[in-house]
Structures are given as C-alpha cells and as structure tokens.
Amino acid sequence: MPELSHGRRMLVLAICCMSLLIVSLDNTVLNVALPSLQRELDASTSGLQWTVDAYTLVLASLLMLAGSTADRIGRRRVFMSGLVVFTLGSLLCSLAPDLNWLVVFRMVQAVGGSMLNPVAMSIITNTFTDPRERARAIGVWGAVVGLSMAAGPLVGGLLVDSVGWRSIFWVNLPVGLAALLLTWRFVPESRAPRARRPDPVGQVLVIALFGSLTYAIIEAPHGSWRSTAPFAALALISLLALLRYEPRRPEPLIDLRFFRSAPFSGATVIAVSAFAALGGFLFLSTLYLQNVRGLSAMEAGLWMLPMAVPTFLCAPLSGRLVGSRGPRLPLLVAGGAMTVSGLLFALFEAETSNATLLLGYVLFGVGFGFVNAPITNTAVSGMPLSQAGVASAVASTSRQLGQTLGVAVLGAVLAAGVSASSYASYASYASYADTFVSASRPGWWILAVCGAVVLTLGVVTTGVWARGTAERAARRLEGERLSRRAGVDA
C-alpha cells in the first residue's frame, strides 16, 4: 500500500468507521424495534430470537473467512463487496413481507457485514503504519462502537415511533452508498504478502456447529426432544470433527494451538461471556420496558441511555488502563460491575423500581465499557506478530458467537417461563406482563454468572503463570512457522 498523506489517512479512517457504525448501529436499533415487530408480524419469542441471531450467527461463522479472503484477493475489493451486500440486505429487510423473509434478509445483511469490520480493521492497520498513530486510530474505531451503543436506542426509538420498524433499515442505505463511493475513490487496494490458504472443510464445520447449536437452544422450549436432539447431536459431531481435523492442517481456519496460551483461551471465554450478557441484557430489557411497562419505543430508548452512556465513556478509559497497567484491572472492574448488575435483577427484582432499574443499567454499562479493550489485548498477548491478526479474528468471532448464544439461551429460558399463548399474541398483554418478571429471573442469574466468569478469568489469565503459557505458545508457533517456511524455500 502506498504511503498516504495525513488527510488521506484520516479520510480512510472515517470511511472504515462509517462501515462499523452501520453494522454496530443495526443491532442496537433492532433491539428497540423488537416489540413492534412482535405485534405487527405476530412473532413468537423464537421468531424475535431468530431476527437477532440470524445476523450474529452468520457474522460469527464468516468473519475469519472474510478476513483471509480479503488478504488474498484484495481488502478494498472485499470491503466494497461487503458494502454492496449489506446495503442491499438492508433494503430487502425494510421490504420483508413477513418474519421468515425478514430472518432470511438479515442473513444477507450479515454476509455483507462479515466483509466489513475485520477487513476495515486490516485496512486501518495497513494505512496507519506508525504505532502511536495506529493506536489513536484504533481508539477512534472503538469509540464508534460506544457511539452506536449510545445512539442506537434513541435513533431506533425515534424511527419506530414516528415512521415504523421498517425505517430502522433505511438508515443504512445512504451511509452504505456514501461509504461505497468514498471507498472506490479514496481507499487504495492492499493485500497480504502471504495470505492464508482457504480451509473449506473447517468453514463448513464451523457453520454446522454454530447453526445447529443455536437452533437447538432456541427451539428447545417450543418443540419435543425428537425435533431438537438431532441438531444438538450435529453440533457435537461438528465440534469433535473440528477438534480432529483442524490440527492436521498446516494453516487451519481455527488454530487450536492458540489455546495453549492461557491469556488467549481466557480472552475467548471472556468475549463469549461478556457478549452473551450484552445480547441477553438488551433482549430482556427491551421486551420488559415496552411490553411490561408499556413504554413507547422512544421512551424505551431513553431508558437504555443509563447503560449506553457509561459504555461510551468507560471504553476509552479502559483502553488507557490496558496500555498503562495491563488488562487485569479493567477485567476486574468489568466482571464485578456486570455480576452486581445481574444480581440486582436476580435477587432484588431491580426492574420493579425506577431507582434499582437505573442502578442496574448503569452498572452493566460500566462493566461492558471496561470489558472490550482488554479482550483483544489479552487474546494477542505474547503472540508472534505474524499470528496476531488471526488471534484477533478469533476474538472477534467469539464476540459474535457470545451475542448469538446470549439471545438464544436467555430467550429460551424466558420462553420456558411464559406460556406460548401469552407470548404469541399481544392481545394477552396482561398475562404476559404478570409472568414476565418471574420468568426472566433465571435469565438474570445467567447474566450474573457471565459476569462472574469475566471476573474469575480476569484474575486467572492475567498473572505470571498465564503470561508464561503465552510465551511458550508463541515460541512454538513461531518455530513451527519458520520451519514450514524453510521447508518451502528448500
């Protein structure tokens, strides 16, 4: 990639942030629209879960494939393709005639989204070659995520109340088209000097694992064990096949040797736990605020601000703490705050009082704001530079998988506690409202456990012993890479 002027680099950063904004905003905006979707499309709980999870599931399955493909055929080319597919998917979502088609079109969106965030990060990394300038650029990138968390509920609530739920997808159209034109005009093409080889078998196994596991969880409360057991079995078989197949490849889709590093393994589990908590938190909160308290979408969006604003404010503080003191302190703050927030709802029914509801939202926002920065840092801690990108991609996949599982698990728990009739129809509002708080209680316990996992692993995987495992894993990975290269050169 040619050396660009400072102004051109800032423009490239702005273009990449535009793609991140529409992808991140899409999920937070959609959560506010779920009750409206439930009423207008006569959606069940599992239908609402699939509306969210169809997107994050496909995204999680394709992130690593999209990143390696961009390295191989050109980052700019894949990025532009992603913008086209995402924008087209957004248009189709706004035109969906029923819930089934909306789920399908959400999957189209996700195919495009998988080509945006990891590829945009690669473009930023290759555009900003100075370490300090790159760190500031990544800081801006992270702030955009916080901005989407803060703006999403408000933008979604305003659009849903004034125009309708279909309008939340219209926001993506002008931004996507503008980003596409700007990318074509100003972003130079770049490729990796030596791209990783494709792993189609590994990719199919990942899709089978994630898809069958999510289906089994979401549909378990609504079907018999005969209908869900085959999918649970398929998930287990896919996992075992991955564990057997991937170590045999010289360049696997998921390098299982990374998991010899305690910080990497810890970061993966922390990412799944934290984002499962986020997905479940948004799902439960949105349904409670609108379907139980009877708030409008805009009012529900305002109530989500006590969670979104601390996330936005704490994210850069967490990044500075990671840079100056390491990841342990931010992880302890994150795990502690998320655990206490879950316990407030699980033990004290925080949603039944405005004061405790506000406190629970603030605590969760603080916790989630602190957790994101140390995930990537811990994942790549001690890794050789040649492997850092792959390790970061696994961490990104873990985030999306966590959000998918959070909505699937907590939605299934909620559905099991509320009768199918009261869920399926908005006319049964009284029954739904009466049972929601008690039915959601196990879900809040799960969120508290997710916070406790973050807290525990924040201690265990950031100490001297953990750093030692990372150093040994890095030496072995680098040694094996150099040996393979020497064999190829010979």
Side-chain angles (χ1 to χ4, degrees):
M1 178 181 285
E3 184 68 26
L4 304 178
S5 66
H6 176 75
R8 182 77 172 270
R9 291 197 298 275
M10 291 299 105
L11 182 57
V12 170
L13 175 61
I15 295 168
C16 291
C17 286
M18 288 171 69
S19 74
L20 175 64
L21 181 63
I22 57 176
V23 171
S24 300
L25 199 65
D26 200 68
N27 263 338
T28 53
V29 168
L30 179 65
N31 270 280
V32 176
L34 288 179
S36 180
L37 280 170
Q38 186 180 31
R39 294 191 298 271
E40 292 188 28
L41 300 183
D42 195 26
S44 64
T45 310
S46 62
L48 296 180
Q49 288 170 275
W50 279 118
T51 305
V52 178
D53 273 359
Y55 182 86
T56 55
L57 178 61
V58 173
L59 204 62
S61 300
L62 299 182
L63 276 173
M64 287 183 287
L65 174 64
S68 61
T69 302
D71 287 343
R72 189 179 309 109
I73 70 174
R75 299 181 180 107
R76 176 174 174 264
R77 179 181 300 176
V78 171
F79 187 69
M80 290 179 66
S81 300
L83 287 169
V84 171
V85 175
F86 186 87
T87 305
L88 176 61
S90 299
L91 176 61
L92 291 173
C93 285
S94 72
L95 301 174
D98 55 41
L99 187 72
N100 291 332
W101 279 111
L102 179 59
V103 170
V104 171
F105 295 148
R106 286 280 289 165
M107 296 173 74
V108 174
Q109 262 193 313
V111 172
S114 70
M115 304 181 206
L116 296 180
N117 287 4
V119 180
M121 180 55 72
S122 295
I123 292 173
I124 291 173
T125 302
N126 284 272
T127 300
F128 294 88
T129 54
D130 177 73
R132 289 196 175 194
E133 196 175 35
R134 180 185 297 167
R136 288 194 292 269
I138 293 175
V140 173
W141 173 267
V144 172
V145 177
L147 178 63
S148 71
M149 292 285 293
L154 287 178
V155 172
L158 180 63
L159 289 174
V160 170
D161 280 351
S162 59
V163 184
W165 66 265
R166 296 180 187 275
S167 63
I168 65 175
F169 298 106
W170 298 344
V171 177
N172 300 331
L173 304 184
V175 179
L177 291 174
L180 179 64
L181 293 174
L182 291 170
T183 302
W184 174 75
R185 177 66 179 84
F186 295 107
V187 176
E189 185 61 280
S190 65
R191 295 177 177 84
R194 183 179 178 275
R196 293 170 61 84
R197 286 181 287 181
D199 180 10
V201 174
Q203 183 63 61
V204 170
L205 289 173
V206 166
I207 293 173
L209 171 60
F210 290 175
S212 56
L213 177 62
T214 304
Y215 183 90
I217 294 172
I218 289 179
E219 298 300 330
H222 311 285
S224 66
W225 67 270
R226 290 182 180 179
S227 62
T228 55
F231 290 93
L234 177 59
L236 179 60
I237 293 170
S238 301
L239 175 61
L240 295 175
L242 267 175
L243 295 176
R244 182 171 179 79
Y245 176 77
E246 292 294 276
R248 298 171 182 266
R249 286 188 55 84
E251 291 183 341
L253 181 72
I254 301 175
D255 198 331
L256 300 179
R257 295 170 298 178
F258 287 175
F259 292 94
R260 297 170 183 167
S261 163
F264 178 84
S265 299
T268 302
V269 178
I270 287 170
V272 171
S273 299
F275 278 77
L278 174 67
F281 182 92
L282 292 175
F283 192 80
L284 290 180
S285 296
T286 301
L287 292 178
Y288 171 77
L289 290 172
Q290 294 187 55
N291 285 0
V292 177
R293 287 206 168 193
L295 302 180
S296 67
M298 184 63 186
E299 291 169 332
L302 289 171
W303 259 106
M304 297 298 287
L305 280 180
M307 182 275 291
V309 172
T311 298
F312 177 67
L313 296 177
C314 292
L317 175 59
S318 176
R320 286 195 291 271
L321 282 174
V322 170
S324 61
R325 302 186 60 175
R328 173 172 284 192
L329 180 58
L331 288 175
L332 296 183
V333 173
M338 293 171 75
T339 302
V340 174
S341 175
L343 290 176
L344 270 177
F345 289 95
L347 289 175
F348 304 106
E349 297 187 353
E351 61 266 57
T352 58
S353 163
N354 285 343
T356 52
L357 181 65
L358 178 65
L359 179 60
Y361 281 8
V362 170
L363 284 172
F364 189 89
V366 169
F368 191 76
F370 271 95
V371 80
N372 216 7
I375 288 175
T376 301
N377 177 274
T378 308
V380 303
S381 175
M383 289 288 176
L385 187 59
S386 61
Q387 304 287 347
V390 182
S392 179
V394 174
S396 297
T397 300
S398 300
R399 290 181 176 96
Q400 297 302 326
L401 176 62
Q403 194 161 350
T404 301
L405 293 177
V407 174
V409 172
L410 269 75
V413 168
L414 187 62
V418 179
S419 68
S421 61
S422 67
Y423 235 125
S425 172
Y426 191 74
S428 54
Y429 169 78
S431 173
Y432 177 65
D434 289 342
T435 58
F436 186 97
V437 173
S438 60
S440 65
R441 193 70 52 240
W444 292 114
W445 275 111
I446 292 172
L447 292 188
V449 170
C450 288
V453 170
V454 174
L455 180 64
T456 303
L457 292 179
V459 175
V460 174
T461 63
T462 56
V464 176
W465 166 80
R467 287 194 295 270
T469 65
E471 291 167 2
R472 289 192 293 274
R475 285 196 299 268
R476 186 175 299 179
L477 285 166
E478 188 66 11
E480 292 175 3
R481 186 185 70 86
L482 293 175
S483 297
R484 284 199 307 271
R485 175 168 292 185
V488 171
D489 293 340

